[in-house]
Protein backbone atom coordinates (compact mmCIF):
# COMPACT_ATOMS: atom_id res chain seq x y z
CA UNK A 1 0.00 0.00 0.00
CA UNK A 2 1.84 3.07 -1.15
CA UNK A 3 0.98 6.70 -1.73
CA UNK A 4 3.54 7.34 -4.45
CA UNK A 5 0.72 8.72 -6.58
CA UNK A 6 0.47 11.67 -4.22
CA UNK A 7 2.88 14.55 -3.90
CA UNK A 8 5.11 14.59 -0.87
CA UNK A 9 3.17 16.57 1.70
CA UNK A 10 4.43 18.84 4.43
CA UNK A 11 2.07 17.87 7.19
CA UNK A 12 3.55 16.82 10.49
CA UNK A 13 3.13 13.06 11.19
CA UNK A 14 0.64 13.84 13.97
CA UNK A 15 -1.65 15.54 11.46
CA UNK A 16 -3.15 12.24 10.36
CA UNK A 17 -6.64 13.15 9.13
CA UNK A 18 -9.81 11.46 10.30
CA UNK A 19 -13.36 11.57 9.05
CA UNK A 20 -16.47 11.21 11.17
CA UNK A 21 -16.78 7.64 9.86
CA UNK A 22 -13.32 6.54 10.99
CA UNK A 23 -13.03 8.51 14.20
CA UNK A 24 -12.22 6.20 17.13
CA UNK A 25 -12.63 3.00 15.10
CA UNK A 26 -10.41 0.40 16.74
CA UNK A 27 -8.44 -0.95 13.79
CA UNK A 28 -8.18 2.39 11.99
CA UNK A 29 -7.04 4.27 15.09
CA UNK A 30 -4.52 1.57 15.99
CA UNK A 31 -3.02 1.67 12.49
CA UNK A 32 -2.91 5.46 12.54
CA UNK A 33 -1.04 5.44 15.84
CA UNK A 34 1.45 2.92 14.49
CA UNK A 35 2.03 4.97 11.34
CA UNK A 36 2.58 8.12 13.39
CA UNK A 37 5.06 6.28 15.59
CA UNK A 38 7.07 5.39 12.48
CA UNK A 39 6.92 8.98 11.22
CA UNK A 40 4.53 8.41 8.32
CA UNK A 41 3.23 11.45 6.48
CA UNK A 42 -0.38 12.58 6.63
CA UNK A 43 -0.90 11.48 3.03
CA UNK A 44 0.38 7.98 3.77
CA UNK A 45 -1.76 7.78 6.87
CA UNK A 46 -4.88 8.88 4.98
CA UNK A 47 -4.22 6.51 2.09
CA UNK A 48 -3.62 3.49 4.31
CA UNK A 49 -6.81 3.99 6.34
CA UNK A 50 -9.22 4.88 3.56
CA UNK A 51 -9.52 8.59 4.36
CA UNK A 52 -7.93 9.58 1.05
CA UNK A 53 -11.10 8.46 -0.72
CA UNK A 54 -9.74 6.80 -3.85
CA UNK A 55 -10.48 3.16 -4.80
CA UNK A 56 -6.85 2.31 -4.10
CA UNK A 57 -7.12 3.87 -0.65
CA UNK A 58 -10.27 1.88 0.09
CA UNK A 59 -8.58 -1.34 -1.01
CA UNK A 60 -5.54 -0.55 1.12
CA UNK A 61 -7.77 0.18 4.13
CA UNK A 62 -9.55 -3.14 3.65
CA UNK A 63 -6.24 -4.98 3.65
CA UNK A 64 -4.98 -3.06 6.68
CA UNK A 65 -8.13 -3.74 8.72
CA UNK A 66 -8.14 -7.42 7.80
CA UNK A 67 -4.47 -7.85 8.71
CA UNK A 68 -5.03 -6.02 12.00
CA UNK A 69 -7.69 -8.50 13.05
CA UNK A 70 -5.69 -11.45 11.71
CA UNK A 71 -2.98 -10.54 14.22
CA UNK A 72 -5.48 -9.72 16.97
CA UNK A 73 -7.28 -13.06 16.83
CA UNK A 74 -4.01 -14.96 17.11
CA UNK A 75 -2.89 -12.89 20.09
CA UNK A 76 -6.23 -13.63 21.74
CA UNK A 77 -6.14 -17.34 20.97
CA UNK A 78 -2.52 -18.20 21.67
CA UNK A 79 -1.87 -15.57 24.35
CA UNK A 80 -5.02 -15.14 26.42
CA UNK A 81 -6.19 -18.65 25.58
CA UNK A 82 -3.05 -20.18 27.04
CA UNK A 83 -3.54 -18.20 30.25
CA UNK A 84 -7.17 -19.32 30.49
CA UNK A 85 -6.24 -22.96 30.01
CA UNK A 86 -3.49 -22.79 32.60
CA UNK A 87 -5.78 -21.08 35.11
CA UNK A 88 -8.48 -23.72 34.62
CA UNK A 89 -6.03 -26.55 35.17
CA UNK A 90 -4.49 -24.96 38.27
CA UNK A 91 -7.74 -23.85 39.90
CA UNK A 92 -9.52 -27.14 39.25
CA UNK A 93 -6.85 -29.78 38.81
CA UNK A 94 -9.44 -32.57 38.62
CA UNK A 95 -11.44 -30.98 35.78
CA UNK A 96 -11.72 -32.85 32.51
CA UNK A 97 -9.98 -30.19 30.42
CA UNK A 98 -6.74 -30.78 32.30
CA UNK A 99 -6.72 -34.42 31.18
CA UNK A 100 -7.15 -33.74 27.49
CA UNK A 101 -4.45 -35.63 25.54
CA UNK A 102 -1.61 -33.56 24.13
CA UNK A 103 -2.20 -34.86 20.61
CA UNK A 104 -5.83 -33.76 20.72
CA UNK A 105 -4.80 -30.29 21.86
CA UNK A 106 -2.39 -30.07 18.94
CA UNK A 107 -5.11 -31.22 16.55
CA UNK A 108 -7.52 -28.52 17.76
CA UNK A 109 -4.85 -25.84 17.48
CA UNK A 110 -4.06 -26.99 13.94
CA UNK A 111 -7.75 -26.95 12.99
CA UNK A 112 -8.11 -23.46 14.43
CA UNK A 113 -5.04 -22.17 12.62
CA UNK A 114 -6.36 -23.60 9.35
CA UNK A 115 -9.53 -21.52 9.81
CA UNK A 116 -7.86 -18.29 10.93
CA UNK A 117 -7.55 -17.08 7.35
CA UNK A 118 -11.32 -16.48 7.35
CA UNK A 119 -12.24 -15.73 10.98
CA UNK A 120 -11.01 -12.09 10.87
CA UNK A 121 -13.73 -11.35 8.30
CA UNK A 122 -16.26 -11.07 11.14
CA UNK A 123 -14.47 -8.16 12.82
CA UNK A 124 -13.46 -6.82 9.41
CA UNK A 125 -17.09 -6.52 8.30
CA UNK A 126 -17.96 -4.62 11.48
CA UNK A 127 -15.27 -2.05 10.74
CA UNK A 128 -15.95 -1.98 7.00
CA UNK A 129 -19.67 -1.37 7.43
CA UNK A 130 -18.79 1.52 9.72
CA UNK A 131 -16.17 2.86 7.34
CA UNK A 132 -18.61 2.82 4.42
CA UNK A 133 -21.50 4.33 6.37
CA UNK A 134 -23.60 1.16 6.21
CA UNK A 135 -23.50 0.38 9.92
CA UNK A 136 -26.04 1.97 12.25
CA UNK A 137 -23.56 2.03 15.11
CA UNK A 138 -23.03 5.42 16.72
CA UNK A 139 -19.81 6.82 18.12
CA UNK A 140 -21.40 8.72 21.02
CA UNK A 141 -24.32 8.17 23.36
CA UNK A 142 -25.94 11.35 22.08
CA UNK A 143 -25.82 10.01 18.52
CA UNK A 144 -27.81 7.02 19.76
CA UNK A 145 -30.54 9.29 21.14
CA UNK A 146 -29.32 9.74 24.70
CA UNK A 147 -28.57 7.33 27.57
CA UNK A 148 -32.04 5.79 27.84
CA UNK A 149 -32.41 5.22 24.10
CA UNK A 150 -28.84 3.93 23.80
CA UNK A 151 -29.47 1.41 26.59
CA UNK A 152 -32.73 0.25 25.01
CA UNK A 153 -31.07 -0.09 21.61
CA UNK A 154 -28.22 -2.06 23.14
CA UNK A 155 -30.62 -4.54 24.75
CA UNK A 156 -32.57 -4.92 21.50
CA UNK A 157 -29.36 -5.32 19.51
CA UNK A 158 -28.10 -7.99 21.92
CA UNK A 159 -31.30 -10.05 21.56
CA UNK A 160 -31.12 -9.70 17.76
CA UNK A 161 -27.50 -10.86 17.83
CA UNK A 162 -28.32 -13.81 20.08
CA UNK A 163 -31.23 -14.79 17.85
CA UNK A 164 -28.96 -14.68 14.82
CA UNK A 165 -26.41 -16.97 16.47
CA UNK A 166 -29.17 -19.35 17.58
CA UNK A 167 -30.73 -19.58 14.11
CA UNK A 168 -27.39 -20.17 12.39
CA UNK A 169 -26.26 -22.76 14.93
CA UNK A 170 -29.57 -24.57 15.29
CA UNK A 171 -31.05 -24.18 11.83
CA UNK A 172 -28.15 -24.11 9.39
CA UNK A 173 -25.55 -26.23 11.19
CA UNK A 174 -27.70 -28.80 13.02
CA UNK A 175 -31.07 -29.13 11.27
CA UNK A 176 -30.65 -28.48 7.57
CA UNK A 177 -29.05 -31.46 5.85
CA UNK A 178 -27.30 -29.33 3.23
CA UNK A 179 -25.88 -27.12 5.98
CA UNK A 180 -24.53 -30.08 7.89
CA UNK A 181 -22.92 -31.49 4.75
CA UNK A 182 -21.57 -28.21 3.43
CA UNK A 183 -20.13 -26.72 6.62
CA UNK A 184 -19.09 -29.94 8.43
CA UNK A 185 -20.08 -28.81 11.91
CA UNK A 186 -19.89 -32.46 12.96
CA UNK A 187 -16.08 -32.19 12.96
CA UNK A 188 -16.28 -29.76 15.87
CA UNK A 189 -18.65 -32.18 17.63
CA UNK A 190 -16.13 -34.98 17.53
CA UNK A 191 -15.28 -33.67 21.03
CA UNK A 192 -18.02 -35.04 23.29
CA UNK A 193 -16.39 -35.52 26.69
CA UNK A 194 -14.95 -32.87 29.00
CA UNK A 195 -11.62 -34.68 28.66
CA UNK A 196 -11.70 -33.93 24.93
CA UNK A 197 -12.11 -30.15 25.14
CA UNK A 198 -9.83 -27.24 25.98
CA UNK A 199 -9.69 -23.54 25.08
CA UNK A 200 -8.15 -24.67 21.79
CA UNK A 201 -11.42 -26.45 20.93
CA UNK A 202 -13.25 -23.13 20.96
CA UNK A 203 -12.00 -22.12 17.51
CA UNK A 204 -11.58 -25.61 16.05
CA UNK A 205 -14.20 -25.36 13.30
CA UNK A 206 -14.18 -25.57 9.56
CA UNK A 207 -13.46 -22.00 8.43
CA UNK A 208 -16.92 -21.23 7.02
CA UNK A 209 -18.64 -23.00 9.90
CA UNK A 210 -16.95 -20.86 12.54
CA UNK A 211 -17.32 -17.67 10.51
CA UNK A 212 -21.05 -18.19 9.97
CA UNK A 213 -21.61 -18.30 13.71
CA UNK A 214 -19.88 -14.94 14.11
CA UNK A 215 -21.66 -13.13 11.24
CA UNK A 216 -24.63 -12.00 13.38
CA UNK A 217 -22.21 -9.61 15.09
CA UNK A 218 -21.68 -7.31 12.08
CA UNK A 219 -25.08 -8.02 10.49
CA UNK A 220 -27.01 -6.91 13.58
CA UNK A 221 -25.28 -3.54 13.28
CA UNK A 222 -27.13 -2.95 10.03
CA UNK A 223 -30.46 -3.14 11.86
CA UNK A 224 -30.21 -1.45 15.27
CA UNK A 225 -28.38 1.78 16.27
CA UNK A 226 -26.00 0.77 19.05
CA UNK A 227 -22.85 2.33 20.54
CA UNK A 228 -19.79 1.31 18.54
CA UNK A 229 -17.78 0.85 21.73
CA UNK A 230 -20.26 -1.75 23.00
CA UNK A 231 -20.07 -3.78 19.80
CA UNK A 232 -16.26 -3.64 19.80
CA UNK A 233 -16.07 -4.82 23.42
CA UNK A 234 -18.60 -7.55 22.75
CA UNK A 235 -16.48 -8.77 19.84
CA UNK A 236 -13.57 -9.23 22.23
CA UNK A 237 -15.78 -10.93 24.81
CA UNK A 238 -17.14 -13.19 22.05
CA UNK A 239 -13.67 -14.56 21.40
CA UNK A 240 -13.01 -15.10 25.10
CA UNK A 241 -16.44 -16.65 25.68
CA UNK A 242 -15.97 -19.07 22.79
CA UNK A 243 -12.86 -20.41 24.49
CA UNK A 244 -14.34 -20.35 28.00
CA UNK A 245 -17.39 -22.50 27.24
CA UNK A 246 -15.12 -25.31 26.06
CA UNK A 247 -13.03 -25.70 29.23
CA UNK A 248 -15.94 -26.96 31.35
CA UNK A 249 -15.58 -24.52 34.27
CA UNK A 250 -16.85 -22.43 35.92
CA UNK A 251 -20.55 -23.22 35.73
CA UNK A 252 -22.94 -20.29 35.43
CA UNK A 253 -26.62 -19.92 36.36
CA UNK A 254 -29.51 -19.64 33.91
CA UNK A 255 -29.92 -17.71 31.64
CA UNK A 256 -26.17 -17.53 30.94
CA UNK A 257 -24.67 -20.05 28.53
CA UNK A 258 -22.04 -21.28 30.96
CA UNK A 259 -19.52 -23.99 30.27
CA UNK A 260 -21.87 -26.55 31.84
CA UNK A 261 -24.68 -25.75 29.39
CA UNK A 262 -22.32 -25.87 26.42
CA UNK A 263 -20.82 -29.15 27.57
CA UNK A 264 -24.29 -30.66 27.20
CA UNK A 265 -24.48 -29.32 23.66
CA UNK A 266 -21.39 -31.37 22.83
CA UNK A 267 -22.46 -34.40 24.83
CA UNK A 268 -25.88 -34.72 23.23
CA UNK A 269 -24.98 -33.05 19.90
CA UNK A 270 -28.16 -30.99 20.30
CA UNK A 271 -29.71 -28.28 22.46
CA UNK A 272 -28.17 -25.14 23.96
CA UNK A 273 -27.45 -23.42 20.66
CA UNK A 274 -27.07 -19.87 21.97
CA UNK A 275 -23.86 -17.96 22.54
CA UNK A 276 -23.99 -15.88 25.72
CA UNK A 277 -27.41 -17.00 26.96
CA UNK A 278 -29.90 -19.85 26.70
CA UNK A 279 -32.85 -17.47 26.34
CA UNK A 280 -33.69 -18.43 22.76
CA UNK A 281 -33.16 -22.09 23.60
CA UNK A 282 -35.77 -21.60 26.32
CA UNK A 283 -38.15 -19.92 23.88
CA UNK A 284 -37.74 -22.59 21.17
CA UNK A 285 -37.71 -25.51 23.60
CA UNK A 286 -34.19 -26.69 22.79
CA UNK A 287 -32.67 -26.08 26.22
CA UNK A 288 -30.92 -28.85 28.12
CA UNK A 289 -30.37 -28.23 31.80
CA UNK A 290 -27.20 -29.26 33.66
CA UNK A 291 -28.87 -31.79 35.95
CA UNK A 292 -26.65 -34.34 37.75
CA UNK A 293 -27.85 -37.03 35.34
CA UNK A 294 -27.15 -34.92 32.24
CA UNK A 295 -23.75 -33.84 33.51
CA UNK A 296 -22.42 -37.37 33.72
CA UNK A 297 -19.32 -37.34 31.55
CA UNK A 298 -20.54 -39.94 29.07
CA UNK A 299 -21.30 -39.08 25.44
CA UNK A 300 -24.84 -39.65 24.20
CA UNK A 301 -26.38 -39.70 20.78
CA UNK A 302 -28.38 -36.69 19.67
CA UNK A 303 -31.88 -36.54 21.05
Amino acid sequence: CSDDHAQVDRFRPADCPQSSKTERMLAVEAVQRALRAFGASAATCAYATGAEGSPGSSLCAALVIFLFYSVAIRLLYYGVGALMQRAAEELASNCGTGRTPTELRRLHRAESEAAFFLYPSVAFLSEWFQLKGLSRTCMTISECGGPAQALLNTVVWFFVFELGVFLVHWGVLHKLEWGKRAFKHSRHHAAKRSTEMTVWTGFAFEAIDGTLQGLPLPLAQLLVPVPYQFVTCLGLVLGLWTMYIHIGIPHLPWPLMGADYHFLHHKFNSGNYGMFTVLWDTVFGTIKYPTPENMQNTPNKAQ
Side-chain angles (χ1 to χ4, degrees), residues 175-189:
K175 292 301 178 183
L176 296 179
E177 288 300 324
W178 70 266
K180 290 192 286 186
R181 290 194 304 269
F183 306 125
K184 302 177 183 178
H185 189 61
S186 59
R187 290 188 60 179
H188 180 71
H189 276 273

Side-chain angles (χ1 to χ4, degrees), residues 24-89:
R24 294 189 297 278
M25 287 173 57
L26 178 61
V28 171
E29 184 173 359
V31 171
Q32 287 176 340
R33 289 179 180 274
L35 290 173
R36 291 171 190 161
F38 284 99
S41 68
T44 299
C45 189
Y47 190 80
T49 56
E52 192 257 4
S54 68
S57 176
S58 295
L59 180 62
C60 188
L63 179 61
V64 164
I65 293 172
F66 193 87
L67 290 177
F68 174 86
Y69 284 110
S70 294
V71 173
I73 193 172
R74 287 173 171 82
L75 290 175
L76 181 75
Y77 184 69
Y78 293 112
V80 181
L83 294 176
M84 291 174 62
Q85 183 66 29
R86 181 175 180 179
E89 294 179 10

Side-chain angles (χ1 to χ4, degrees), residues 85-86 88-90 92-102 105 194-199 246-249:
Q85 183 66 29
R86 181 175 180 179
E89 294 179 10
E90 290 188 356
S93 57
N94 61 338
C95 65
T97 189
R99 301 195 299 276
T100 304
T102 300
R105 299 181 187 217
S194 62
T195 53
E196 296 171 341
M197 289 183 277
T198 64
V199 293
H246 288 90
I247 58 178
I249 58 170

Side-chain angles (χ1 to χ4, degrees), residues 52-258:
E52 192 257 4
S54 68
S57 176
S58 295
L59 180 62
C60 188
L63 179 61
V64 164
I65 293 172
F66 193 87
L67 290 177
F68 174 86
Y69 284 110
S70 294
V71 173
I73 193 172
R74 287 173 171 82
L75 290 175
L76 181 75
Y77 184 69
Y78 293 112
V80 181
L83 294 176
M84 291 174 62
Q85 183 66 29
R86 181 175 180 179
E89 294 179 10
E90 290 188 356
L91 294 175
S93 57
N94 61 338
C95 65
T97 189
R99 301 195 299 276
T100 304
T102 300
E103 286 303 315
L104 189 57
R105 299 181 187 217
R106 290 174 179 168
L107 173 63
H108 289 168
R109 285 195 293 267
E111 290 175 341
S112 299
E113 185 60 45
F116 278 160
F117 79 94
L118 191 58
Y119 286 172
S121 60
V122 173
F124 166 79
L125 285 175
S126 293
E127 298 277 289
W128 193 249
F129 288 159
Q130 178 69 24
L131 189 66
K132 293 302 179 181
L134 300 174
S135 174
R136 301 190 68 188
T137 53
C138 32
M139 287 298 179
T140 65
I141 297 297
S142 60
E143 288 179 12
C144 285
Q149 188 63 50
L151 178 60
L152 176 61
N153 289 353
T154 299
V155 172
V156 172
W157 183 93
F158 180 80
F159 281 114
V160 170
F161 163 75
E162 278 280 293
L163 178 61
V165 172
F166 175 87
L167 292 177
V168 169
H169 197 181
W170 171 63
V172 177
L173 301 177
H174 276 269
K175 292 301 178 183
L176 296 179
E177 288 300 324
W178 70 266
K180 290 192 286 186
R181 290 194 304 269
F183 306 125
K184 302 177 183 178
H185 189 61
S186 59
R187 290 188 60 179
H188 180 71
H189 276 273
K192 298 183 181 298
R193 298 178 175 87
S194 62
T195 53
E196 296 171 341
M197 289 183 277
T198 64
V199 293
W200 317 120
T201 315
F203 285 82
F205 298 90
E206 285 288 315
I208 299 178
D209 175 10
T211 303
L212 281 176
Q213 296 181 68
L215 282 182
L217 182 72
L219 294 180
Q221 297 171 49
L222 304 177
L223 304 175
V224 184
V226 66
Y228 169 82
Q229 294 80 0
F230 170 77
V231 176
T232 302
C233 290
L234 191 72
L236 172 61
V237 174
L238 178 62
L240 296 173
W241 197 269
T242 300
M243 292 188 288
Y244 148 66
I245 58 177
H246 288 90
I247 58 178
I249 58 170
H251 297 176
L252 299 177
W254 185 96
L256 295 175
M257 177 67 76

Side-chain angles (χ1 to χ4, degrees), residues 254 260-261 264 268 272 278 282 287-292 294-295:
W254 185 96
D260 48 346
Y261 280 93
L264 295 179
F268 292 104
N272 301 352
V278 293
T282 303
I287 189 171
K288 293 188 182 296
Y289 293 99
T291 62
N294 280 342
M295 290 301 291

